[in-house]
Structures are given as C-alpha cells and as structure tokens.
Amino acid sequence: MTAVSSPLISVAIVEDDEGIRESLAAFLGRARGVRCTAVYSNAEDALREFKIQTPDVVLMDINLPGMSGIDATRELKQLRPDARILMLTVYEDNKALFDSLKAGACGYLLKRTASDKIVAAIREAREGGMPLTPRMASKVAAYFQNKDTVGGELDKLSQRERRTLELLSEGFLYKEIAEKMGISYLTVHQYTKHIYEKLHVHSRTEAVVKYLRH
Amino acid sequence: MTAVSSPLISVAIVEDDEGIRESLAAFLGRARGVRCTAVYSNAEDALREFKIQTPDVVLMDINLPGMSGIDATRELKQLRPDARILMLTVYEDNKALFDSLKAGACGYLLKRTASDKIVAAIREAREGGMPLTPRMASKVAAYFQNKDTVGGELDKLSQRERRTLELLSEGFLYKEIAEKMGISYLTVHQYTKHIYEKLHVHSRTEAVVKYLRH
DNA sequence: GCGAACATACCCAGTTCTGGGTATTCACAG
DNA sequence: CTGTGAATACCCAGAACTGGGTATGTTCGC
C-alpha cells in the first residue's frame, strides 16, 4: 500500500533441475511486472552472487546438491535480512515447511503450482505477504495454535504425568523414574506415551525442550 | 574452632523404619556430646515441628513415605537456612548424593556407617564441615571439576560436534542429522559418543540440558 | 449410577540409542 | 617427521525408547 510500486520485481531462481529452471525462467520472462535477473543451479553459486547483488525475490528449491535450500535461506537472511525468499519444492512436507519458515523463507509453494499463481505469489512476497498453499496455511495456523498454548499443553498433563516429565527432563531412565515414583516401569512407559500425545511430540528430547521453555 | 563449644548438640531423626529409628535414637542417647531431642517417622511431621523448634542437626532418611527426605531438606533449608542436615541412606547413589547436596544437605552417610563415625559426622556437620564417605567425597570433587567447566566443556567440542549437539537439542534423529549435515549416520553416532564423553553424560537428554544452559 | 478422566500395569514389535571397538585421511605443532 | 586431534566411516551387542494395543480400579461430576 504505502510502498512505491516499482515497475519490475527482480527475481532469481535457485534450482538444480535444468528443465524446471529453464521453464521457470522462460515463463517469468513472459510475465508482466517481474523480471528474472539470474538463475543458479546450486546454493553456493547463488550465495556468492547475492553478496554482490540481491534480487527482490528468490525462488529457492529445497533439494539442491551440496548446501540445501533451507540452509541457503538461513545464510542469505543473515546476509540480507530483508531478502524475500520463496521456497519451491515438490513435497508437501510438514518439516520442510516449518524448517523453511524458521530459516527465514517468507512463503512455500509446490512446483506443480499453476504459473500465474507463482507470479501472484512473487508479488505477494514482495509486498510483505506470506504466500502459501491453502493446505500449508492451515498447517501454519495449527502450528501457532499449539505454539500459543505451549503452556496450555503442559496444563493438560495430569499430576503424575507432569512429575514424570520433570524426571524425564533430568535425564533419568524409565526404570529410575519408576523407582523414584514408586510405580512400575510399565506405568512410566504409559505416562510418557500420554505425555507425547498431549504435547504432540515424538521423543523425549522434544518433550523436554517444550517443558524447559515453560 | 572459633565456635562456642556448646555442651550438647541437639539432634533430630527422620526415619520411617522403626527399627533403625529406635536403634539410632538409643545409640545417640548413650553418646557423649549429643542429645537426641526428637524422632519422626515421616517428613511432614518433622517439618511441622521444625517450624516451632529446629534442632542443631537433622539426620534425614531419603526414602520416606510421602514427601522424600530430599524434598524435606529443600523445604527445611528454605525455612531455616542455617539448619544442618545429614542425609542417611542405604544406597551409594550418585544422583541421590547430588540431589541431596543441591537441596541443601551438608553431608551424606550410609546407614551401614559405624556408629562412632556417625557421632563424629554430627560434630563435623555442626562445625560447618561436610561429612562424606571417602568415595562420596571423591565423587563430589569430580563433580565440581566438571561443574566449574560446564562452559568449558562445551568449548571442548569440535565444530561438527557442536553442530551435532545443536541438532540433537532440537530432537532430530541421528539419520535426520546425518542428512542435514551431509554425513553418514555412523558419523553422527560417533560424534554423539564424543559429545557424551566430553560432557560426561550418558544420554541425549542430559547432553541437551547441559547445552541449553549454555 | 454412568461416563470421563486418572492412575496403574501389562504385551508386543520395531526403532533408536548407547558404548565398546577399529580405521583412514588431513592438517598442524613440535 | 612424528604425534595429536579432528573429521569421517564402519561393526557389534545390548539397552532403552516408541507406539500400537488391552485392562483394572478409583474418583468425581452430572
């Protein structure tokens, strides 16, 4: 709104598959309002160039030979905090999505996304938006619902589960916890299953990290 | 040395086993320089009384019905910071030892300790000492060697080990870490072995806790 | 007095971690 | 140039954890 509407948004592509890279570039060349200023087949080359000149928006593949697109995103954001990076990948992968956002990507698209949607996403990214597929968006929403209720999640634990988590956080083995709490090893086992379920985690370490962040 | 030598040291016993409790009390009754002023079979009763009158030294069992001796120690020290509490237990348990000391106990004895040694320990406790069995003492010494270098311990890690620990702290599996770092699963395995060795821990959670405390 | 939540305990199968090795390559200090 | 440390990779065995069940009794609210 307040931004000066620049005539052209410069876009760089980082993508190892030559076919995809070229067709993307060609397509951006025909699109109005955007200009494809550079293409790279790997993250290292791209980063080197970006130190000299950074485009408005980067379309970044995740699976790259050598450095991953996510690591590259992290580095680029460190170098240019206002860089706008759109992840472009084939998988609708939960972890990749969140890792990308944590690394500093501003959006996450699937390669099978229709071309005109990609241009729209580039504009949206430029304007500070967060272009995501609807499904991705709902995952992000769900994530923050959890995020906001981390304390709330802990509240869902019963007394004994909380105590168990406390001891888990101190690194005790199940059998040691059982001894300390005067219950069976199997009960401790059961508690941890409940804890993981309630905290939406899949390992002791993840549970402990949530717990230690109160 | 500088302390006024009081004629009698008042001692309270908190111990749930009646046999041990009585024989301890009887034995203290016969010993010179000490006076057993109270016995309790659980922590709750003892704490209630201590709010009114605190003995010079408390002999505290660890395994008690209800509140543990360690928790009772913590509470009593909060109430009376200058209370002298000697833990008395059957197990030579590393963790119990350190938990006791962290809770505020001034010493840690095994129940099989010879009676005259117990009186000596009570005197030592009264005079500000830290009565421990030789084996316990060496464990404490080792602990502080580590404790003073917690930051230093982390410094001992190589670059890759540090990165591995960072990822371990985020709850990733070995194989995921391997992928992220572009190395073999087996190498991650090797790194964690080194990390555990350098940090003197035996599980991922313990390592993570040390790491998160920077 | 019924259903929900909690605490307890057990089974099983599969995965992951832990801790003991060995070994090569490379770089750097002495 | 020899030794040390870092980084890499592998083997093995056993311990521990994870996740899917089931089952019982208690307590508490409706």
Side-chain angles (χ1 to χ4, degrees):
Chain A
M1 326 233 150
T2 62
V4 176
S5 79
S6 19
L8 284 176
I9 302 172
S10 62
V11 178
I13 297 168
V14 187
E15 163 66 59
D16 61 322
D17 181 292
E18 183 170 347
I20 296 176
R21 187 172 65 235
E22 295 308 329
S23 72
L24 256 178
F27 153 71
L28 288 181
R30 290 193 304 275
R32 292 189 309 110
V34 303
R35 188 169 49 109
C36 178
T37 53
V39 298
Y40 307 96
S41 64
N42 64 71
E44 289 82 352
D45 286 350
L47 278 175
R48 199 164 25 248
E49 287 284 326
F50 291 161
K51 281 178 186 161
I52 299 162
Q53 186 164 6
T54 313
D56 295 325
V57 175
V58 179
L59 296 182
M60 179 82 78
D61 187 25
I62 289 187
N63 282 107
L64 292 169
M67 177 183 281
S68 82
I70 291 174
D71 289 335
T73 298
R74 197 168 5 248
E75 290 219 5
L76 178 53
K77 284 300 276 191
Q78 205 155 15
L79 186 69
R80 305 260 185 261
D82 55 350
R84 308 297 296 172
I85 302 159
L86 268 174
M87 306 311 280
L88 206 54
T89 187
V90 285
Y91 303 112
E92 204 165 283
D93 176 6
N94 228 320
K95 213 166 197 130
L97 166 63
F98 290 114
D99 285 349
S100 297
L101 294 180
K102 283 176 195 162
C106 71
Y108 190 102
L109 299 175
L110 298 179
K111 285 181 179 171
R112 62 171 176 271
T113 305
S115 303
D116 57 340
K117 293 271 170 66
I118 290 185
V119 178
I122 290 173
R123 289 212 187 82
E124 193 179 341
R126 177 61 195 286
E127 285 157 20
M130 187 173 178
L132 296 172
T133 63
R135 189 181 306 215
M136 294 295 179
S138 75
K139 281 183 182 174
V140 171
Y143 176 81
F144 284 112
Q145 267 186 349
N146 289 341
K147 194 71 179 181
D148 286 344
T149 55
V150 181
E153 282 179 332
L154 290 177
D155 288 344
K156 287 199 171 63
L157 300 180
S158 71
Q159 284 298 311
R160 309 242 74 197
E161 286 162 358
R162 203 189 315 285
R163 173 70 178 144
T164 300
L165 178 53
E166 186 187 333
L167 293 170
L168 283 172
S169 297
E170 289 170 40
F172 293 111
L173 303 178
Y174 285 4
K175 63 161 93 160
E176 293 173 324
I177 294 173
E179 219 175 302
K180 272 175 195 291
M181 293 178 65
I183 57 180
S184 153
Y185 159 86
L186 295 152
T187 305
V188 175
H189 180 18
Q190 187 68 352
Y191 285 170
T192 69
K193 286 196 286 188
H194 290 155
I195 292 168
Y196 292 172
E197 208 174 329
K198 290 179 181 176
L199 298 189
H200 304 102
V201 299
H202 306 281
S203 75
R204 184 197 189 101
T205 308
E206 289 179 296
V208 166
V209 169
K210 277 209 176 190
Y211 175 71
L212 292 181
R213 299 219 192 290
H214 287 147
Chain B
M1 321 234 147
T2 63
V4 176
S5 79
S6 20
L8 284 177
I9 302 172
S10 64
V11 178
I13 297 169
V14 187
E15 162 67 60
D16 61 325
D17 182 291
E18 183 171 347
I20 296 176
R21 188 173 64 235
E22 296 308 328
S23 71
L24 257 178
F27 152 71
L28 288 182
R30 290 193 304 275
R32 290 189 310 109
V34 302
R35 188 169 50 109
C36 178
T37 54
V39 298
Y40 307 96
S41 65
N42 64 71
E44 290 82 354
D45 287 350
L47 277 175
R48 199 163 27 246
E49 288 285 325
F50 291 161
K51 281 177 187 163
I52 299 162
Q53 186 164 7
T54 313
D56 295 325
V57 175
V58 179
L59 296 183
M60 179 83 76
D61 186 25
I62 289 187
N63 283 105
L64 292 170
M67 176 183 282
S68 81
I70 290 175
D71 289 336
T73 298
R74 196 166 9 246
E75 291 219 6
L76 178 53
K77 283 300 275 192
Q78 205 154 15
L79 187 70
R80 306 259 185 258
D82 54 350
R84 307 299 295 173
I85 303 159
L86 268 174
M87 306 311 281
L88 206 53
T89 188
V90 284
Y91 303 110
E92 202 166 285
D93 176 6
N94 226 320
K95 228 149 199 151
L97 165 64
F98 291 115
D99 285 349
S100 297
L101 294 180
K102 284 176 196 162
C106 72
Y108 190 102
L109 298 176
L110 296 180
K111 285 180 180 172
R112 62 170 177 271
T113 305
S115 304
D116 57 339
K117 292 270 170 67
I118 290 185
V119 178
I122 290 172
R123 289 213 187 81
E124 191 179 342
R126 178 61 195 286
E127 285 158 21
M130 186 174 181
L132 295 172
T133 64
R135 188 181 307 213
M136 294 293 180
S138 75
K139 282 182 182 174
V140 170
Y143 177 80
F144 284 112
Q145 270 187 345
N146 291 341
K147 190 70 180 182
D148 287 344
T149 54
V150 179
E153 281 180 334
L154 289 177
D155 288 344
K156 286 196 170 63
L157 300 180
S158 71
Q159 283 297 313
R160 308 291 278 166
E161 287 162 358
R162 204 187 315 283
R163 173 71 178 144
T164 300
L165 177 53
E166 187 187 333
L167 293 170
L168 282 172
S169 298
E170 291 170 39
F172 293 111
L173 303 178
Y174 285 3
K175 64 161 91 158
E176 294 174 323
I177 294 173
E179 218 176 301
K180 274 175 194 290
M181 292 179 65
I183 57 180
S184 152
Y185 159 85
L186 295 152
T187 306
V188 175
H189 180 18
Q190 186 67 354
Y191 286 170
T192 70
K193 287 196 287 187
H194 289 154
I195 291 168
Y196 292 173
E197 210 174 328
K198 289 180 180 176
L199 299 190
H200 304 102
V201 298
H202 307 281
S203 75
R204 185 197 190 98
T205 307
E206 289 178 298
V208 166
V209 168
K210 278 208 176 191
Y211 175 70
L212 292 181
R213 299 217 193 292
H214 288 148

